[in-house]
Amino acid sequence: MAFSFGYSPWLLLLCLAVAGGLTYWTYRSTVPSLSAKWRVVLGGLRFLALALICFLLFEPVLRQFQTAEQPPVLAVLVDDSQSMQVVAAADTASARRDAARTSIRPVVDALQDETMPGTARFFRVGASSQALSGSIIDSLRFDGARTDLASGLQAAPEDLQDENLDGIVLVSDGQHNTGQSPLRVADRSPVPVHTVTVGDTTRQRDLRVQSVTTNERAYLDSSVPVRVVLSVSDGPGAPISVTLEQSGRTLDERQVRLPNGTGEVTADLTFEPEQAGLQQLTVRVPELSGEVTARNNAQSVSLRVLESKRQVLVLGAAPSPNMSALRRVFEQNADTDVTARTPTPEGTFLEGPLPDDLSAFDVVVLAGFPSAPVPNDVVERIATLIDDGTPALFFLDPQTDLAAWTEHFSEALPARPEATTNLSEASFSVPERAREHPVFRIEEAEVSLFERLPPVQAPASAWSPTPDAEVLGTAAATDAPVLVVRRRAGQRTAAFLGTGVWRWTLLPSELDAAAPLWPGLASNLLRWVSTEGNDSPVRVRPTASTFGGTESVSFTGQVYDQSMQPVSDATVEMTVTDSTGTEYPYTMDPVGPGQYTLDIGTLPEGTYQYAATARRSETELGTDEGEFSVAPLRIEYQAPRADPVFMRQLANRSGGTAYTPETVDRLSGALSGQDSFSSEVVRQSSEAELWRTSLFLIAILVLLAGEWTLRKYLGLA
């Protein structure tokens, strides 16, 4: 036991001396005169009151120390996921949960046996970790749609940090499908992890849909491929039907022959979308005789169906390899329909006249257009189309009529051209700050390889980018802008101020790594300019286009006023509508400047639409809408057997031992023989802040009240 003060104890002694002196001075003589006995009593009451006040003002703290013996604690993590029902090897689906409990019971009983040293603390492990109490077996539901063993191994030491944790026991089938690698967590585990492998380790007959792949986007009245990979264990070598369904309706069906034994087989299906929007497809195969589970015999996938392909008008300056290089890239894009026109010296077009209606085009690509022979009225039609908001992509060409660019397209160009432009060869360079821009997200190629490509012909004198433009590429020698992009009032435009890109299509073998750069850049530029700029004051989006069956459906939102300033005090109401037309109202929660979120929990399988409206007081700020889908989650059934090899690896890497339900009773003796699994003496300290104790306040009041009462009784003033 020890005292400590917020200030120096010497200062406290000084205050007590002052209090004693004041008390003596007060009662050295009284009117009327009192006997020495009464003066001592009154002075004592006052001095004790003042002394207590001084004592408490110095914030005294009483520290007490005690020692306690903590028994060793064993954290038992029990896998409570759906896969435990599968590996239980029950004959029927209705009995699998009971069979899983039966397989777990001897392990739990052994760990709760009186001969087991220390104290066992039980936790349920699935998508997350949760402590168990009461009847452990009855608490297990085996309904977790995901298994995150790593989070359980990390959570146990954190939850038991105030106890003497000396070991962890993991009871599982070894199947994990979410979170970090459990082996890496075991490497860093502060205590040994002992494993008990539960379930059937033999490879039983099982047919499962391993993967379903299709296009992320498709178009009406077009054939969409769907590739299915089936995996089978103990296959019968017989033909089966693979069915592609949507809302219970069969879209396509194929016959494939399963291999004998274990293997994979591929099936290619197709369908033609009949309506636009987010579509959910399901691939299904029949259940085999004697199959361990049929829960993995189906898998769903979602894709977005658009009404039509992107319509692109490509206008050249004259027949040239630059024009051919652009057309070749755009025509190879599956989501693009290209209409090309190449001027002739007579002012006509090789491919025929321009379409009468240009409003159907989504993007205009000026590949050097216009050149001198193009009639002025044709140039004005294109300029009007762009002025009306159609996105435009400009490519410079030696035959480009720069005077026409200045006269007709100055408002759309992201950089101002010179009256005359001399071209000189220069390597194309991407500044470091621009390399994260979407136009440079090119698969299988490094952005730095642009500088190794053949040089392009770029303007010798720098063009002037508009104030709201962004320079993404420069000439390596002069830093003059070569690739400039701009977003203004919802319209996107881009300009490539260099010519000779056809050289990038004819690369030597030593530059094979750079081959994807040109088609990737051209495609990304087209995609970027044609993406609608979102200037809406209300923007609400789901965090995923497709949610798993047990995943929580969540949304993020942004709200702005007419000046595009964030609004933090808006009320954002949202309505989610299912396929039957049933509406579910929600209100989003504000989380920051103009930021809102909503988590509505899990939803049944299907396709949903949502509509959001933001209001401030009675004023409507804007609306937004969209759609998303919820797919059944069958990930727990993708590997329907126990994995003892993984469980042994996990135990060995943490310094533990691997057991089975038949050998788990040996764990008691093993722990008893370990010096590390023992009780520890813990010195604990407790503090009491006496200056916060109400008893001292009561004592001070009693002393002062007693002094006042005696003074009145004795007739003192």
Side-chain angles (χ1 to χ4, degrees):
M1 182 182 298
F3 273 107
S4 64
F5 296 93
Y7 304 94
S8 172
W10 296 106
L11 185 57
L12 174 60
L13 293 176
L14 177 61
C15 291
L16 292 177
V18 172
L22 289 175
T23 302
Y24 173 77
W25 181 81
T26 302
Y27 287 107
R28 73 184 189 281
S29 62
T30 60
V31 178
S33 179
L34 296 178
S35 66
K37 172 182 151 182
W38 284 113
R39 291 201 305 272
V40 169
V41 171
L42 291 172
L45 291 174
R46 176 167 292 190
F47 176 75
L48 287 175
L50 293 175
L52 279 177
I53 293 173
C54 293
F55 179 72
L56 297 181
L57 288 175
F58 275 72
E59 299 180 356
V61 176
L62 176 63
R63 288 188 174 89
Q64 294 179 313
F65 301 94
Q66 57 184 359
T67 58
E69 183 175 323
Q70 283 190 336
V73 173
L74 189 67
V76 182
L77 312 180
V78 183
D79 190 342
D80 195 34
S81 63
Q82 295 174 0
S83 66
M84 296 290 286
Q85 298 184 41
V86 179
V87 300
D91 293 332
T92 63
S94 60
R96 283 173 179 152
R97 181 172 299 180
D98 292 337
R101 288 196 176 102
T102 300
S103 65
I104 290 289
R105 189 179 300 276
V107 179
V108 174
D109 290 344
L111 296 173
Q112 290 181 315
D113 193 88
E114 294 180 356
T115 61
M116 181 66 65
T119 304
R121 297 278 192 269
F122 286 83
F123 296 84
R124 167 192 293 123
V125 177
S128 60
S129 177
Q130 181 182 359
L132 293 175
S133 60
S135 175
I136 304 302
I137 294 297
D138 294 337
S139 299
L140 298 173
R141 299 188 297 268
F142 303 107
D143 58 356
R146 294 182 182 273
T147 306
D148 188 355
L149 298 181
S151 69
L153 294 173
Q154 291 174 317
E158 295 175 1
D159 293 342
L160 301 175
Q161 59 182 340
D162 295 330
E163 300 189 46
N164 181 22
L165 179 65
D166 283 340
I168 297 175
V169 176
L170 175 63
V171 183
S172 173
D173 57 7
Q175 300 296 343
H176 59 96
N177 45 53
T178 301
Q180 303 180 45
S181 168
L183 296 177
R184 292 188 178 182
V185 177
D187 287 336
R188 303 188 298 270
S189 177
V191 295
V193 179
H194 310 283
T195 60
V196 182
T197 306
V198 180
D200 197 335
T201 61
T202 61
R203 189 180 294 275
Q204 304 178 67
R205 170 167 289 183
D206 180 56
L207 172 63
R208 61 184 178 274
V209 181
Q210 187 72 22
S211 65
V212 179
T213 55
T214 187
N215 300 334
E216 293 183 1
R217 293 186 177 184
Y219 299 89
L220 291 177
D221 302 324
S222 64
S223 181
V224 181
V226 180
R227 169 154 289 194
V228 182
V229 177
L230 305 179
S231 178
V232 63
S233 301
D234 189 23
I240 63 164
S241 295
V242 183
T243 306
L244 180 65
E245 302 176 354
Q246 184 180 39
S247 301
R249 182 169 60 93
T250 299
L251 302 178
D252 195 11
E253 186 174 358
R254 290 286 188 275
Q255 290 281 330
V256 297
R257 179 173 290 275
L258 297 177
N260 281 306
T262 301
E264 292 184 351
V265 63
T266 301
D268 290 315
L269 307 171
T270 59
F271 80 104
E272 291 188 4
E274 298 178 355
Q275 59 182 5
L278 191 66
Q279 307 291 320
Q280 187 178 88
L281 310 174
T282 301
V283 174
R284 196 179 307 276
V285 293
E287 182 177 359
L288 299 179
S289 175
E291 188 174 1
V292 62
T293 179
R295 293 292 298 274
N296 53 13
N297 288 32
Q299 190 174 134
S300 297
V301 66
S302 296
L303 74 162
R304 189 171 297 279
V305 179
L306 305 179
E307 293 186 355
S308 62
K309 295 184 178 182
R310 183 190 298 116
Q311 300 297 315
V312 179
L313 176 62
V314 181
L315 302 172
S320 68
N322 289 325
M323 175 73 167
S324 300
L326 271 174
R327 288 186 59 176
R328 191 177 303 114
V329 171
F330 296 156
E331 289 172 350
Q332 289 176 351
N333 290 343
D335 59 351
T336 301
D337 276 338
V338 177
T339 300
R341 293 294 183 266
T342 307
T344 66
E346 293 77 22
T348 60
F349 294 101
L350 290 176
E351 299 85 356
L354 283 177
D356 293 335
D357 183 11
L358 299 180
S359 62
F361 291 104
D362 301 306
V363 185
V364 179
V365 179
L366 281 68
F369 180 92
S371 53
V374 178
N376 191 63
D377 61 324
V378 174
V379 179
E380 289 181 351
R381 288 188 62 194
I382 302 302
T384 301
L385 179 65
I386 296 175
D387 289 342
D388 289 341
T390 302
L393 182 56
F394 297 86
F395 284 86
L396 188 64
D397 188 87
Q399 301 187 55
T400 299
D401 185 350
L402 291 180
W405 269 24
T406 303
E407 180 181 354
H408 296 284
F409 305 110
S410 60
E411 292 300 319
L413 279 167
R416 307 297 185 193
E418 302 289 340
T420 59
T421 297
N422 296 320
L423 301 178
S424 61
E425 291 194 344
S427 296
F428 180 73
S429 176
V430 181
E432 191 69 32
R433 55 178 170 74
R435 296 190 176 188
E436 297 301 321
H437 196 277
V439 302
F440 294 123
R441 293 174 186 168
I442 303 171
E443 295 184 3
E444 302 178 356
E446 295 291 336
V447 177
S448 58
L449 292 175
F450 270 109
E451 296 187 10
R452 296 187 57 190
L453 294 176
V456 295
Q457 291 183 315
S461 57
W463 288 28
S464 302
T466 59
D468 52 356
E470 181 180 3
V471 178
L472 301 183
T474 61
T478 62
D479 282 337
V482 175
L483 177 58
V484 188
V485 299
R486 189 187 70 185
R487 299 193 327 186
R488 176 185 291 180
Q491 183 189 42
R492 299 187 180 194
T493 58
F496 191 90
L497 307 176
T499 184
V501 292
W502 61 269
R503 302 176 183 175
W504 293 357
T505 66
L506 304 173
L507 300 179
S509 58
E510 57 266 24
L511 288 179
D512 284 346
L517 290 178
W518 164 243
L521 177 62
S523 299
N524 288 347
L525 281 171
L526 183 66
R527 187 176 297 111
W528 184 84
V529 297
S530 60
T531 301
E532 294 183 5
N534 191 354
D535 295 327
S536 170
V538 179
R539 310 168 191 177
V540 177
R541 295 291 181 268
T543 55
S545 59
T546 301
F547 296 91
T550 59
E551 289 183 294
S552 184
V553 177
S554 58
F555 297 82
T556 60
Q558 303 174 53
V559 179
Y560 301 90
D561 59 17
Q562 293 181 351
S563 301
M564 298 307 290
Q565 296 298 312
V567 177
S568 301
D569 58 348
T571 300
V572 184
E573 297 177 344
M574 194 165 74
T575 301
V576 176
T577 307
D578 63 16
S579 56
T580 66
T582 304
E583 296 183 348
Y584 304 91
Y586 301 95
T587 301
M588 302 190 75
D589 299 319
V591 293
Q595 304 293 316
Y596 297 80
T597 63
L598 174 64
D599 189 327
I600 63 178
T602 58
L603 292 175
E605 175 185 357
T607 301
Y608 296 80
Q609 297 179 337
Y610 68 89
T613 302
R615 293 183 176 86
R616 176 191 271 172
S617 299
E618 300 299 324
T619 303
E620 181 176 307
L621 300 177
T623 62
D624 198 4
E625 61 184 17
E627 54 189 351
F628 64 93
S629 67
V630 177
L633 190 63
R634 301 183 176 93
I635 192 172
E636 281 291 303
Y637 300 92
Q638 290 301 309
R641 69 187 183 104
D643 190 349
V645 175
F646 166 79
M647 296 290 276
R648 284 196 298 270
Q649 289 178 336
L650 192 148
N652 293 336
R653 291 174 67 162
S654 67
T657 307
Y659 297 92
T660 65
E662 293 74 26
T663 62
V664 69
D665 55 348
R666 302 175 187 173
L667 177 60
S668 175
L671 293 178
S672 298
Q674 293 178 1
D675 294 337
S676 59
F677 196 83
S678 60
S679 300
E680 67 176 4
V681 177
V682 179
R683 187 185 185 192
Q684 298 176 331
S685 64
S686 60
E687 293 184 350
E689 296 179 333
L690 300 180
W691 51 283
R692 295 181 182 271
T693 305
S694 59
L695 290 177
F696 285 97
L697 176 60
I698 295 174
I700 293 172
L701 293 176
V702 169
L703 291 171
L704 293 176
E707 181 193 9
W708 180 82
T709 302
L710 286 177
R711 288 177 63 90
K712 288 295 183 181
Y713 174 75
L714 297 173
L716 294 179

